Amino acid sequence: MTPPDKAATGRRIRRFTPAEHWVHRTTSALMLICLVTAAMLYLPALAEIVGRRRLVVTVHEWAGIMLPVPVLAGLVSRAFRRDLKLLNRFAAYDWSWLRDAIRRRPESLRLAGKFNAGQKVYASFAAGAALVMIGTGLMMWFPNMVVVTLRTGATFVHDWLALAIGAVVIGHIWMAARDPEARLGMRTGFVTPQWVRDHHPKWQHDGAGDSEVKDKPRTPAA
């Protein structure tokens, strides 16, 4: 596995670059817009409060079609491309991590690289679900381009997959809320060596600890 970047300050290890932070934040914003506008369209109580259905539909459509843009733009970043490769590799120790997670073993006893198996599964699901949602959404957006049976099937898949995505995103947010150090790492790009030892021991073994230096990191403005 590729060692992490060697740029860190204040005994903190660089986990993400500004480009990766931008991709994550922008993609998250677009996904939340899609989910919120979908709720406004499908829940009668919200629909009555918000009104302006045509505007909500337009925002939902364009937020959905823009979902791949941050990822495609992020490909210019070498660090982002490297992390995509790490997310795409499911090794034997990842299966062990999943078994240990089911058995509720402490994270410090689970072998995980820069990304654990749960994060890899979530990333794969998010990428695949986004592509399916865009494809089915386009069929609904331009109904005259497909036959009725395809349009009906697309609507069914789109609606039920949206529910699944909503549940998974809530779980993702819940997991992040339980780990303030992980949120700090996403926001500032840096994490502590102790957090790496506790949550990503294989990443530490692959060289994460080598990036510790003395100066304190500057926390960028939110």
Side-chain angles (χ1 to χ4, degrees), residues 121-135 161 165:
V121 170
Y122 174 80
S124 297
F125 170 81
L131 292 176
V132 173
M133 292 298 281
I134 292 171
L161 185 55
I165 292 172

Side-chain angles (χ1 to χ4, degrees), residues 32-48:
L32 286 176
I33 290 172
C34 287
L35 292 174
V36 170
T37 51
M40 293 176 182
L41 293 171
Y42 286 98
L43 298 178
L46 281 179
E48 290 179 6

Side-chain angles (χ1 to χ4, degrees), residues 2-151:
T2 305
D5 295 337
K6 302 289 183 169
T9 50
R11 289 189 60 78
R12 286 183 177 269
I13 298 167
R14 177 178 286 282
R15 181 162 171 80
F16 297 114
T17 63
E20 292 172 296
H21 167 77
W22 177 87
V23 171
H24 182 268
R25 176 166 289 191
T26 308
T27 303
S28 299
L30 290 170
M31 179 62 74
L32 286 176
I33 290 172
C34 287
L35 292 174
V36 170
T37 51
M40 293 176 182
L41 293 171
Y42 286 98
L43 298 178
L46 281 179
E48 290 179 6
I49 294 172
V50 176
R52 306 195 66 177
R53 182 178 178 85
R54 184 62 255 173
L55 175 61
V56 174
V57 169
T58 301
V59 172
H60 181 79
E61 291 170 340
W62 282 102
I65 205 69
M66 291 289 289
L67 264 177
V69 173
V71 174
L72 294 175
L75 292 176
V76 301
S77 166
R78 182 179 300 176
F80 182 66
R81 295 197 304 271
R82 183 178 64 230
D83 279 356
L84 284 182
K85 290 180 180 178
L86 295 179
L87 285 167
N88 198 40
R89 293 174 183 169
F90 212 84
Y93 61 81
D94 290 312
W95 292 109
S96 298
W97 190 98
L98 288 176
R99 287 193 295 269
D100 291 340
I102 294 172
R103 295 167 184 166
R104 296 184 177 276
R105 295 187 67 190
E107 282 201 68
S108 58
L109 300 179
R110 306 177 202 168
L111 193 59
K114 185 174 183 179
F115 302 103
N116 62 43
Q119 292 166 330
K120 292 179 179 181
V121 170
Y122 174 80
S124 297
F125 170 81
L131 292 176
V132 173
M133 292 298 281
I134 292 171
T136 54
L138 286 172
M139 293 182 192
M140 298 162 63
W141 194 354
F142 303 103
N144 295 328
M145 295 181 63
V146 295
V147 297
V148 175
T149 52
L150 278 179
R151 188 167 68 248

Side-chain angles (χ1 to χ4, degrees), residues 189-205:
F190 294 94
V191 291
T192 62
Q194 183 61 49
W195 183 85
V196 174
R197 284 192 289 270
D198 291 343
H199 297 273
H200 299 270
K202 190 176 188 308
W203 188 39
Q204 179 199 21
H205 180 268

Side-chain angles (χ1 to χ4, degrees), residues 142-221:
F142 303 103
N144 295 328
M145 295 181 63
V146 295
V147 297
V148 175
T149 52
L150 278 179
R151 188 167 68 248
T152 302
T155 303
F156 178 84
V157 172
H158 196 88
D159 292 352
W160 283 100
L161 185 55
L163 289 175
I165 292 172
V168 171
V169 168
I170 290 173
H172 180 67
I173 295 173
W174 179 71
M175 293 294 292
R178 297 176 58 199
D179 193 343
E181 184 71 25
R183 297 198 309 274
L184 182 67
M186 179 55 68
R187 190 169 65 252
T188 67
F190 294 94
V191 291
T192 62
Q194 183 61 49
W195 183 85
V196 174
R197 284 192 289 270
D198 291 343
H199 297 273
H200 299 270
K202 190 176 188 308
W203 188 39
Q204 179 199 21
H205 180 268
D206 290 339
D210 296 339
S211 58
E212 301 174 24
V213 292
K214 295 181 180 179
D215 299 332
K216 291 184 178 180
R218 294 181 179 179
T219 303

